[in-house]
Amino acid sequence: MPTGVAVACDAGECLAVYLAVETGDDEDARSASEVSQLARDAAQGDGWVVSFGFRQPVMTCPGCADGRGPVRERGYCRRCMGRVDTESRCVYCLRQVEPFRPEAG
């Protein structure tokens, strides 16, 4: 079964999460260090800012890095999981988001 890795914003009270990478199935063994690096690279490539705290990288979402955060309302933005406005733009990271279409069922 495929598993994934998420990156969370380190800014205080921020709810931003980036669903960074799919690591493959159980037979595709990777070290925790390798998976963490893949997640950091993916998030950084999508506008997250990496800095270094005490012995480890610290990730900051695009909204907090640019002063529009912290993300306080969850929504459908793939980049930070922030709320999306009526024009399909994330109010935190300003990413244009495909309009949400609930599955028929």
Side-chain angles (χ1 to χ4, degrees):
M1 171 194 307
T3 58
V5 177
V7 174
C9 183
D10 197 52
E13 300 182 25
C14 186
L15 300 175
V17 175
Y18 181 75
L19 301 176
V21 292
E22 198 169 284
T23 61
D25 59 30
D26 296 336
E27 295 173 14
D28 186 17
R30 295 185 179 169
S31 71
S33 177
E34 183 182 9
V35 170
S36 291
Q37 186 63 49
L38 286 169
R40 280 193 304 273
D41 291 347
Q44 194 171 14
D46 208 6
W48 283 61
V49 176
V50 65
S51 56
F52 289 88
F54 183 70
R55 292 187 165 173
Q56 65 183 6
V58 174
M59 299 299 296
T60 305
C61 73
C64 286
D66 290 342
R68 288 181 301 277
V71 173
R72 295 188 189 271
E73 300 170 275
R74 289 274 169 85
Y76 302 108
C77 179
R78 182 190 171 282
R79 187 187 215 183
C80 71
M81 292 188 73
R83 182 175 59 85
V84 176
D85 65 17
T86 56
E87 283 130 23
S88 298
R89 181 175 294 253
C90 178
V91 299
Y92 298 102
C93 72
L94 303 180
R95 181 182 195 112
Q96 191 67 38
V97 178
E98 289 291 319
F100 178 70
R101 292 185 180 92
E103 292 182 34

